[in-house]
Amino acid sequence: MDLDGTLLRSDILYESLLALLAHNPLYVFLVPFWLLKGKAYVKRQLASRVQLPAATLPYDERVLEILRTTTQRPRVLCTASDRLLVQPIADHLDLFEEVMASDGYTNLSGTNKGQALAERFGERGFDYMGNGQVDLKVWAHAGGAIVVNNGNGLVRAASTRTEVLAHLPSQNGGLLTWIKALRVYQWLKNLLVLVPLLTAHRFFDIGSVVDAGVAFLAFGLCASGVYLLNDLLDLTPDRMHPRKRRRPFAAGTLPLLHGLLAAPLITLAGFALALACSPAFAGVLLCYYAMTLSYSLKLKRIVMIDVVMLAALYTVRIIGGAVAISSELSFWLLAFSMFVFLSLAMLKRYTELASALASGKEVAIGRGYSVADLPLVQSLGAAAGYIGVLVFALYINSPESLELYTSPKLLWLLCPILLYWISRMWIVSHRGDMHDDPIVFAATDRSSQIVIGLCLLIVLIAI
């Protein structure tokens, strides 16, 4: 039986590479030099530096069932992955009588694997379960083939080399799975780029609307590229999370290699749109990308820096929207957004900690917080939200407000509405009913939708 793509709905080579890069991205510069010594050497270097929790890896349950019911013959795990990472998997499953794997010198794949199995069990003395074109070289020596996670084309090719005993079709996801992986629903956050269009009262200017729309798409594509990269680097923490373990790459419903190819392509598409908007906006998007990347790689694990960075990322979207339509940045808007989004970032961490506490854990996986921090996170987050409302209240009587609005006093109606909304969000979270992303919760929550509608109506009347 093969491991990668057969028993495992993933690939140990990419798993180990991503785990290493998540630990230290600078290793990316060493990998090309390792490749000069061969693929087996690369696998050994990766395997000697990382550990993959065998219990959390995405196994194919159909294959496990075959393993459990096939007891009359020796079950052999024969894989091109390195033994240092394969043996713990075999030990965890406790379903194999023997393990054959790469050893740092020989890459046990294709021809090498076929010859090794023929020498060990004799020509046609074994059945082999595999999933790819490279396995055709093994089936040429096998007595029977079981084709897993591939189509009828591979079945036909295998049948020209040996008898096909069974076919387990691919269960990889399609378009909807990719939409989930790209987290298109998170594009709601990028609606913030439209805020300057509203505050500058230019929503009837067609040119500005088009530029803002392009900026929205550019931020969306760039964000999706980062989400893909983040999910690839967070495979192990995600698999330990009750909800995130169902993400496509963590669950093995999308190949890791496809994600590694898609992430840079989607990001480049976002930057192409940004340049079409303006070089200045492309510069803002580049800053956003750098901030998001640093957050995903390191900063999200550092206490307090993570929430400040999250708030800054929301604010950068507003800055990007202003630059896209060539509108002057408002000090009041930036101050208000920074405090309100700091509150929401704290709310996100509070929800994660509360979930960890409910699960009997002492820390939030992949974060720098412990459940003992819950009261402090709650007080800091609520305070930040109220300060945001205070900033807005001070803005109402400012010269900028008097210049932009014919009836600025109507904006006072927004203060109690915002106080209600922030307070309610924290109460919902305190009761354990908050989605782990407050922005997504707000977009789907009826009370929040009413609040947004009322705020827009009051602003339009005040103009």
Side-chain angles (χ1 to χ4, degrees):
M1 175 177 296
D2 189 24
L3 175 65
D4 302 312
T6 302
L7 172 62
L8 198 63
R9 295 171 59 84
S10 188
D11 190 304
I12 291 296
L13 174 60
Y14 298 120
E15 290 267 353
S16 56
L17 174 62
L18 290 166
L20 184 65
L21 294 180
H23 174 69
N24 187 346
L26 296 179
Y27 272 109
V28 71
F29 299 109
L30 279 180
V31 174
F33 294 101
W34 293 343
L35 274 171
L36 295 176
K37 296 185 178 182
K39 203 169 182 181
Y41 182 82
V42 173
K43 293 176 180 179
R44 175 51 58 97
Q45 294 303 309
L46 293 172
S48 64
R49 288 171 169 80
V50 301
Q51 290 182 333
L52 301 176
T56 64
L57 292 172
Y59 299 100
D60 192 318
E61 288 297 329
R62 302 170 301 171
V63 177
L64 285 178
E65 184 59 28
I66 292 175
L67 273 175
R68 295 186 184 108
T69 56
T70 304
T71 57
Q72 68 274 20
R73 292 185 292 166
R75 295 161 295 184
V76 181
L77 181 58
C78 186
T79 172
S81 293
D82 193 273
R83 179 176 288 274
L84 293 180
L85 294 176
V86 174
Q87 192 63 53
I89 294 173
D91 294 341
H92 167 71
L93 294 175
D94 195 25
L95 293 171
F96 296 100
E97 282 72 40
E98 188 174 341
V99 173
M100 300 171 66
S102 297
D103 58 7
Y105 301 98
T106 301
N107 186 39
L108 200 64
S109 176
T111 301
N112 290 338
K113 183 185 291 189
Q115 291 175 350
L117 286 171
E119 291 173 4
R120 175 69 179 83
F121 300 103
E123 287 288 340
R124 307 298 175 183
F126 62 94
D127 296 332
Y128 179 74
M129 183 184 296
N131 70 293
Q133 291 288 330
V134 69
D135 294 316
L136 293 172
K137 297 177 181 179
V138 183
W139 283 319
H141 301 275
I146 300 176
V147 181
V148 182
N149 290 322
N150 212 309
N152 293 326
L154 185 61
V155 173
R156 288 191 294 270
S159 67
T160 64
R161 289 158 175 82
T162 188
E163 178 186 1
V164 176
L165 304 175
H167 177 209
L168 305 180
S170 173
Q171 292 182 324
N172 283 342
L175 178 60
L176 291 179
T177 307
W178 271 106
I179 290 175
K180 181 179 179 181
L182 293 171
R183 297 195 222 175
V184 175
Y185 67 91
Q186 294 279 15
W187 286 26
L188 286 169
K189 298 175 183 178
N190 298 321
L191 290 173
L192 291 170
V193 304
L194 305 181
V195 170
L197 197 68
L198 176 65
T199 57
H201 302 171
R202 290 168 61 177
F203 33 83
F204 292 121
D205 181 347
I206 300 301
S208 296
V209 171
V210 171
D211 288 338
V214 172
F216 170 80
L217 290 175
F219 263 103
L221 290 171
C222 187
S224 289
V226 176
Y227 287 139
L228 288 180
L229 184 59
N230 178 74
D231 287 355
L232 291 169
L233 295 175
D234 269 2
L235 291 173
T236 296
D238 283 355
R239 287 168 182 157
M240 296 179 179
H241 191 278
R243 186 185 63 83
K244 294 179 182 179
R245 61 187 175 86
R246 292 190 288 270
R247 286 177 174 174
F249 295 112
T253 51
L254 287 179
L256 299 182
L257 178 59
H258 292 183
L260 286 169
L261 295 174
L265 291 176
I266 291 172
T267 303
L268 289 173
F271 278 107
L273 277 178
L275 285 171
C277 182
S278 74
F281 173 71
V284 175
L285 189 65
L286 182 61
C287 290
Y288 168 81
Y289 181 77
M291 291 169 65
T292 306
L293 196 59
S294 61
Y295 172 81
S296 296
L297 294 175
K298 183 67 176 179
L299 299 183
K300 67 181 179 183
R301 299 177 180 88
I302 303 178
V303 174
M304 297 310 301
I305 289 181
D306 62 332
V307 290
V308 172
M309 181 61 76
L310 275 178
L313 286 171
Y314 288 124
T315 304
V316 167
R317 290 175 169 94
I318 294 177
I319 294 174
V323 172
I325 64 173
S326 301
S327 174
E328 184 178 350
L329 287 170
S330 166
F331 159 80
W332 294 103
L333 178 60
L334 296 180
F336 170 77
S337 65
M338 194 66 194
F339 281 111
V340 169
F341 291 125
L342 178 60
S343 179
L344 294 179
M346 289 283 196
L347 185 62
K348 180 180 177 69
R349 289 294 175 264
Y350 178 87
T351 302
E352 292 173 349
L353 286 171
S355 176
L357 178 62
S359 302
K361 300 174 182 175
E362 295 185 359
V363 296
I365 298 172
R367 309 299 182 201
Y369 299 86
S370 69
V371 294
D373 298 324
L374 268 169
L376 182 60
V377 171
Q378 184 180 42
S379 60
L380 291 175
Y386 291 153
I387 291 174
V389 179
L390 175 61
V391 169
F392 182 79
L394 295 173
Y395 163 73
I396 293 173
N397 283 333
S398 70
E400 292 86 351
S401 174
L402 297 174
E403 182 180 344
L404 277 173
Y405 295 92
T406 57
S407 304
K409 291 182 179 180
L410 284 175
L411 298 178
W412 280 107
L413 294 174
L414 296 178
C415 291
I417 294 175
L418 291 172
L419 287 171
Y420 157 78
W421 180 71
I422 290 170
S423 302
R424 180 178 179 276
M425 291 284 280
W426 277 98
I427 288 176
V428 169
S429 182
H430 181 73
R431 293 175 177 175
D433 297 327
M434 174 64 64
H435 186 280
D436 61 3
D437 191 324
I439 300 295
V440 175
F441 174 85
T444 56
D445 173 56
R446 179 56 61 87
S447 295
S448 297
Q449 292 170 349
I450 293 173
V451 165
I452 294 171
L454 286 174
C455 289
L456 288 174
L457 180 62
I458 291 169
V459 168
L460 290 174
I461 294 174
I463 294 175

